[in-house]
Amino acid sequence: MAGQKFQYDESGATFFYFLLSFLALLLIPGTYYWWPRKQKEDPKALASECYCPGCRKKKLILQSTKPWELMKRTCIKVIIIAGWVLLAFLAYKVSQFDYESASFDPYDILNVPIGTSEKVIKKAYRRLSLIYHPDKETGDEKKFMKLTKAYQALTDDESRKNWEKYGNPDGPGAMSFGIALPSWIVEKENSVWVLGLYALVFMIALPTTVGMWWYKSIRYSGDKVLLETSRMYYYFLHKSNSIPLKRVIMILSASLEFEKKYNSEIVERSSDEYEMPQLIKQLYNFGEKAQKEPPLSYNYSIKARALIHAHLSRLVLKADTLDLDRMYIVKKCPYLIQEMVGVVSQLILLAYAQRVPRLLNIETIENCMKLCPMVVQALWEYKSPFMQLPYITEDHIKHFDNKKKRVRSIQHLAQLKNEDRRSTLKFLSDSQYEDLVKVLGRMPYIDFKVRCEVIDDEATTVYTAGAIVTVTVQLKRRDMKVLFGDDSYADKHHIELEKNAAKESEKPDKLEKPLSNGDIINNSDNIENKEIKDDEKEKKATKGIWQQKRQSGKGKKSGNVKKQKTTLSASAKKKIKKKEKLEKAKLGDSETKEIEDDKTEDKEQLKDNNASSDDDSDSDNESSSNASGDESEKSDAEETADDKKKVSANNDDDDDDWDKFQSGANKKDRVLEGRTKQSHLVHSPYFPEEKHEYWWVYLSDRKSRTLLTVPYHVTELVDEEEIQLKFTAPRWPGVYVFAVCLRSDSYFGFDQMHDIKLDVKEAPEPLTEHPQWDISDEEDDTKEEDKQSDISEFTTDEDVED
């Protein structure tokens, strides 16, 4: 390697090539992805946009809170344009570099064709030397040197051989490698500055940046909530079994995100000393001196609580001071409420695991969930849901409670005909009525379906004690405009959970004992039967007439089945029990009733056969043998029919298993894709940011007022969504009624509840004997013979003969 030379770039040629390629790699994709483009406005979105005063004010607020957007777009354009200008300059500089050693061609320099004679070469050299000789006016020293070198390469034999062999008339040269850095970097005079720059970037700036990022990140959870705030939630929410809504607001206002010490974005104003007392006087249900426990009694907590109360009361605040603070606090509330819901669910799980002594009631977590739509819509819980619509105030609520046409809910308002709706809203102008209809048509209408099964079992609809029950919730979201003028959509799904909770709280407490998995032990069977009857009465009262008729038919059918049961012999009972077990394991609940009717007929036939056999017991032997032959033929026919049923049931089970496998694979793919937080925008003129529709889905026991599953936060319900909730079935047999709840975090009056009834059976005892485990006599004999024989399996014929 003695012929190789390494040198830094003196002229800057290779360094310019390096900059040119590096800049091109950044500019070409960067221009495509980062160049600011004007967003195309959707005409449908513009047509459905609301122009009420609250929405217009919110639009101005959103534009004013992002003044840096225009500056950001301008800076990006300037940077990209400057990069392309620099790229063009570098390309021009590189094109000016001359590399004679890389492209030395003597024929091209002398302007003669290849294979020209020496006489012609000399003549061309004389002619060009008269032009480029340095002593002439048109002389050029570099070109004259090239001419001389080319002439020598074509006239001198040794130079000609070197050029033909090595491409250079001087012979083979040393290989050189250029480093794309200027030489001043390694000079002694600049070594101190270069080392100082390296130390500044890699030893000071980079570790400091990483350390600051790490210090900030470890203070927050995955949902951008301070860990100290979560600890504070755990402390206050665990102090009582049931926490009212007013207490939840107090705990929320004490979040450390609202304190200057933990959040540098908080602004402490001198005007708060006289503005806050005036605001607190206007809040009649504030209760400033009710709490003396820190941090609920700190100034930042009192201010945040007062601003939340003012927001829920829709009070007008001073624009440049308190209103700015209100908007900042309200923006943080949905994230903090979601963290509070997670904390309550974790405390309930810890109570089930007996890690904490106190089990929180369902009212605690539902009060936390209830606070979120209150903040988004700026309404107290006791206000009318119609105030979520534009231009509707408390003075207009009386128009919805008219004696002629009483409007029960927002869905009922959408179902009215246009003439009836316009007459109900006659206090609005035409433009105001048009805005209200736009907002009403964009509100959600959720089709809420529930299915229960035991996935990891052959009989998926048979619930045994302690089994893992999977509740599949299917949500289908449509706009409320599909209900305009259509009375066919029943209002049966939409409920008022608060009224149900109030009714349940008024009931006398039963002798119940909550367990770790949410089950209930009743100390007497009479109480349990009484509760089941009460549940059935309540269900019949809440369901429609068509459902009551269907239930009555089922009851008659089951009653007839009970009447048909008769006494049988011991052998017949055993046969029937075996058939029942096989058929129940193979078929679902939808076919069990038909099977029971067939079984009753079989029982009656067996009874008749037994009676006839008793009467004919004195007959001769021939008749008895014929009868036994007929019975054997009948039993064979029954066995073949049972085999056919088993084959068809197995085929159906295989199809169901394949469908379950496919659905499970699709769910895994969706989980791997990740969850987004984009759904449908909420009409929330009092909320300072754009809000998307989110939902909570959970399972609860309304009787014991306990939570059974962790609430699932649905953040991507655009059209359809499927959620699975899993819980452990009660450990004691009986009939249990649970409720699957759907709650909105953005709207009032859109909550739904679906009751599920589980008939829990006793868990089967573990198998101790099985036909496959029995060893036949022949196998025992062969094994004994193998043990007694002395011949090894590796013994040859010669060994046996010996």
Side-chain angles (χ1 to χ4, degrees):
M1 304 297 289
Q4 294 181 354
K5 294 181 180 179
F6 293 90
Q7 58 182 0
Y8 283 85
D9 185 18
E10 297 291 343
S11 61
T14 54
F15 182 62
F16 281 129
Y17 267 108
F18 169 74
L19 286 180
L20 183 67
S21 58
F22 182 74
L23 195 60
L25 287 174
L26 291 179
L27 278 177
I28 293 173
T31 304
Y32 178 77
Y33 287 107
W34 296 332
W35 182 262
R37 297 175 180 85
K38 188 176 181 181
Q39 296 180 354
K40 294 182 180 180
E41 295 181 351
D42 189 3
K44 293 182 180 180
L46 292 175
S48 61
E49 189 174 354
C50 178
Y51 295 97
C52 65
C55 290
R56 287 202 296 264
K57 182 180 178 182
K58 179 179 179 178
K59 194 172 183 179
L60 293 174
I61 290 172
L62 290 175
Q63 292 176 356
S64 63
T65 53
K66 296 182 179 179
W68 49 270
E69 283 290 338
L70 181 60
M71 185 183 298
K72 180 182 177 182
R73 294 165 66 91
T74 306
C75 291
I76 291 174
K77 287 182 179 180
V78 170
I79 292 171
I80 292 175
I81 292 172
W84 280 106
V85 171
L86 181 60
L87 184 69
F89 173 73
L90 290 174
Y92 173 75
K93 289 287 290 181
V94 169
S95 65
Q96 298 299 315
F97 295 134
D98 185 17
Y99 299 96
E100 54 178 310
S101 60
S103 60
F104 180 76
D105 188 0
Y107 291 102
D108 187 31
I109 294 171
L110 294 172
N111 292 328
V112 293
I114 299 173
T116 307
S117 62
E118 187 174 348
K119 185 178 179 180
V120 177
I121 291 171
K122 289 180 180 180
K123 189 184 291 187
Y125 172 69
R126 290 193 197 100
R127 180 172 54 83
L128 292 174
S129 62
L130 292 174
I131 298 172
Y132 296 112
H133 196 278
D135 295 338
K136 302 292 183 180
E137 293 180 358
T138 58
D140 190 345
E141 186 176 359
K142 289 184 178 180
K143 290 186 177 182
F144 183 75
M145 293 292 293
K146 283 184 179 182
L147 285 172
T148 305
K149 193 173 183 180
Y151 175 73
Q152 290 177 356
L154 296 178
T155 55
D156 188 32
D157 293 337
E158 188 176 353
S159 299
R160 190 185 186 96
K161 289 179 181 180
N162 289 333
W163 176 74
E164 290 176 353
K165 189 174 182 180
Y166 302 108
N168 192 351
D170 298 331
M175 185 179 293
S176 62
F177 295 89
I179 299 175
L181 289 175
S183 59
W184 57 265
I185 291 180
V186 294
E187 292 179 356
K188 283 186 177 182
E189 295 81 4
N190 302 327
S191 60
V192 178
W193 299 103
V194 173
L195 290 174
L197 181 64
Y198 271 93
L200 180 65
V201 173
F202 292 103
M203 298 179 66
I204 298 176
L206 186 61
T208 303
T209 305
V210 174
M212 292 174 63
W213 170 80
W214 178 253
Y215 177 72
K216 288 182 179 180
S217 63
I218 61 174
R219 298 170 58 202
Y220 294 88
S221 64
D223 296 328
K224 300 179 181 179
V225 178
L226 286 169
L227 296 177
E228 292 294 330
T229 300
S230 301
R231 294 191 189 98
M232 188 265 295
Y233 289 164
Y234 276 106
Y235 173 75
F236 282 105
L237 293 173
H238 186 241
K239 294 183 70 175
S240 176
N241 288 337
S242 180
I243 298 178
L245 182 61
K246 189 175 179 182
R247 177 77 174 179
V248 173
I249 297 176
M250 288 184 180
I251 298 172
L252 177 66
S253 61
S255 302
L256 299 177
E257 278 80 359
F258 304 144
E259 189 178 7
K260 179 71 174 177
K261 179 182 176 181
Y262 293 90
N263 189 358
S264 60
E265 296 180 1
I266 295 294
V267 180
E268 294 181 350
R269 309 178 190 275
S270 59
S271 58
D272 293 342
E273 296 181 0
Y274 59 89
E275 287 182 353
M276 288 305 302
Q278 295 176 0
L279 175 62
I280 290 172
K281 289 180 181 178
Q282 302 178 28
L283 306 174
Y284 62 92
N285 58 348
F286 180 65
E288 178 187 1
K289 298 181 180 179
Q291 292 294 329
K292 296 183 179 179
E293 186 177 5
L296 302 180
S297 59
Y298 289 168
N299 291 332
Y300 83 90
S301 177
I302 295 174
K303 179 182 178 179
R305 194 183 343 144
L307 292 176
I308 291 174
H309 278 253
H311 173 73
L312 298 178
S313 302
R314 296 186 178 182
L315 297 180
V316 179
L317 303 177
K318 196 172 181 181
D320 55 348
T321 55
L322 291 181
D323 198 48
L324 294 176
D325 298 336
R326 176 195 66 84
M327 287 189 292
Y328 184 83
I329 289 172
V330 168
K331 281 191 293 187
K332 294 283 186 182
C333 284
Y335 302 100
L336 298 174
I337 292 172
Q338 174 60 25
E339 180 69 16
M340 197 178 293
V341 170
V343 168
V344 175
S345 60
Q346 289 295 325
L347 287 173
I348 292 174
L349 291 177
L350 290 174
Y352 286 155
Q354 298 181 356
R355 299 287 298 276
V356 293
R358 185 175 289 108
L359 177 64
L360 299 180
N361 293 336
I362 192 68
E363 288 82 4
T364 300
I365 196 167
E366 288 183 348
N367 285 334
C368 297
M369 294 178 181
K370 194 188 305 178
L371 182 58
C372 195
M374 289 170 55
V375 172
V376 173
Q377 297 296 337
L379 281 175
W380 287 101
E381 58 171 334
Y382 52 83
K383 296 292 183 180
S384 174
F386 292 108
M387 295 180 67
Q388 299 172 104
L389 298 172
Y391 307 107
I392 303 297
T393 60
E394 288 191 40
D395 299 334
H396 302 140
I397 301 301
K398 59 185 178 182
H399 296 279
F400 297 96
D401 196 9
N402 195 0
K403 293 181 180 179
K404 296 181 180 179
K405 189 69 175 179
R406 184 174 180 272
V407 183
R408 299 185 301 274
S409 62
I410 293 178
Q411 179 181 339
H412 188 202
L413 180 65
Q415 289 179 299
L416 294 177
K417 296 181 179 179
N418 192 24
E419 297 81 8
D420 297 337
R421 192 186 308 115
R422 188 69 184 94
S423 63
T424 304
L425 302 172
K426 59 185 177 181
F427 54 89
L428 298 178
S429 62
D430 293 338
S431 60
Q432 292 176 346
Y433 176 75
E434 185 179 354
D435 285 341
L436 187 143
V437 171
K438 288 179 184 178
V439 174
L440 181 63
R442 294 204 316 265
M443 285 186 170
Y445 175 72
I446 306 295
D447 190 7
F448 183 42
K449 295 181 180 179
V450 177
R451 183 179 73 254
C452 293
E453 58 185 345
V454 182
I455 293 178
D456 298 330
D457 200 351
E458 294 181 356
T460 57
T461 55
V462 177
Y463 310 104
T464 57
I468 303 298
V469 182
T470 301
V471 181
T472 304
V473 181
Q474 292 181 346
L475 303 177
K476 185 176 180 181
R477 197 258 186 212
R478 289 175 289 178
D479 289 337
M480 192 74 77
K481 60 185 177 183
V482 300
L483 305 180
F484 283 174
D486 193 352
D487 296 334
S488 61
Y489 291 94
D491 198 9
K492 62 183 178 180
H493 291 303
H494 294 265
I495 62 163
E496 296 180 3
L497 296 176
E498 294 79 10
K499 291 183 179 180
N500 292 338
K503 289 179 182 178
E504 291 167 4
S505 62
E506 291 174 0
K507 293 179 183 179
D509 294 335
K510 303 290 189 301
L511 298 175
E512 300 172 336
K513 181 180 178 182
L515 300 177
S516 61
N517 60 348
D519 305 339
I520 302 168
I521 303 175
N522 295 322
N523 292 333
S524 64
D525 296 334
N526 296 328
I527 294 175
E528 182 179 357
N529 296 328
K530 189 176 180 181
E531 290 175 355
I532 294 169
K533 290 179 181 178
D534 293 339
D535 291 338
E536 292 176 353
K537 288 179 182 178
E538 290 178 4
K539 276 195 167 184
K540 288 180 181 178
T542 54
K543 291 189 177 181
I545 299 173
W546 61 91
Q547 293 174 337
Q548 293 177 7
K549 288 182 179 179
R550 191 180 299 171
Q551 286 181 349
S552 63
K554 291 179 181 178
K556 289 178 182 178
K557 191 172 182 180
S558 62
N560 293 331
V561 171
K562 289 179 181 178
K563 290 178 182 179
Q564 290 174 359
K565 290 184 178 179
T566 55
T567 58
L568 301 174
S569 61
S571 61
K573 285 181 180 180
K574 288 182 179 179
K575 290 182 180 178
I576 291 170
K577 285 181 180 179
K578 288 182 179 179
K579 287 184 179 180
E580 286 178 356
K581 289 181 180 179
L582 289 173
E583 290 169 349
K584 283 185 179 179
K586 297 293 182 183
L587 303 177
D589 287 344
S590 61
E591 300 178 1
T592 52
K593 294 178 181 178
E594 297 178 359
I595 293 169
E596 287 178 359
D597 295 335
D598 296 336
K599 290 174 189 173
T600 53
E601 293 177 3
D602 294 338
K603 291 175 184 178
E604 290 177 357
Q605 289 178 1
L606 289 170
K607 184 180 179 182
D608 295 336
N609 292 330
N610 292 328
S612 63
S613 63
D614 293 335
D615 295 335
D616 298 332
S617 60
D618 297 332
S619 62
D620 52 1
N621 296 328
E622 293 179 358
S623 62
S624 64
S625 63
N626 293 328
S628 63
D630 295 335
E631 288 176 1
S632 64
E633 290 176 359
K634 287 182 182 179
S635 62
D636 293 337
E638 289 177 356
E639 288 178 358
T640 55
D642 292 337
D643 293 336
K644 290 181 180 179
K645 287 183 180 180
K646 290 177 184 178
V647 171
S648 61
N650 288 329
N651 293 330
D652 295 336
D653 292 340
D654 293 338
D655 295 336
D656 295 338
D657 293 339
W658 176 252
D659 294 336
K660 289 178 183 178
F661 175 76
Q662 290 291 340
S663 62
N666 295 331
K667 287 171 187 175
K668 288 180 181 178
D669 293 339
R670 279 186 290 170
V671 169
L672 292 175
E673 290 176 0
R675 296 177 61 191
T676 62
K677 292 192 176 182
Q678 300 292 326
S679 56
H680 294 269
L681 289 176
V682 178
H683 177 261
S684 53
Y686 294 93
F687 193 73
E689 279 188 342
E690 290 184 345
K691 179 72 174 65
H692 289 262
E693 294 177 5
Y694 299 151
W695 305 83
W696 282 294
V697 181
Y698 58 95
L699 187 69
S700 64
D701 187 355
R702 312 306 296 185
K703 217 171 256 187
S704 63
R705 304 186 317 184
T706 54
L707 182 71
L708 300 183
T709 62
V710 176
Y712 185 87
H713 201 208
V714 184
T715 60
E716 50 185 359
L717 181 57
V718 179
D719 296 320
E720 293 183 8
E721 187 72 17
E722 185 175 293
I723 300 103
Q724 285 188 348
L725 305 174
K726 295 186 178 182
F727 72 103
T728 305
R731 298 178 182 177
W732 287 269
V735 178
Y736 297 86
V737 179
F738 301 127
V740 183
C741 304
L742 175 69
R743 276 191 173 272
S744 173
D745 75 334
S746 305
Y747 291 109
F748 281 110
F750 291 83
D751 301 334
Q752 300 184 30
M753 182 185 293
H754 194 290
D755 289 339
I756 57 174
K757 189 174 183 180
L758 298 183
D759 187 4
V760 180
K761 307 294 184 182
E762 288 187 5
E765 296 181 358
L767 293 175
T768 57
E769 295 181 357
H770 196 273
Q772 294 179 353
W773 302 343
D774 295 336
I775 301 173
S776 61
D777 298 334
E778 296 178 357
E779 293 178 353
D780 292 339
D781 296 337
T782 55
K783 288 182 179 179
E784 289 177 0
E785 290 176 358
D786 293 338
K787 290 179 182 178
Q788 293 174 0
S789 63
D790 297 331
I791 301 174
S792 173
E793 59 179 344
F794 301 105
T795 305
T796 61
D797 296 336
E798 296 176 356
D799 297 333
V800 175
E801 291 176 359
D802 295 337

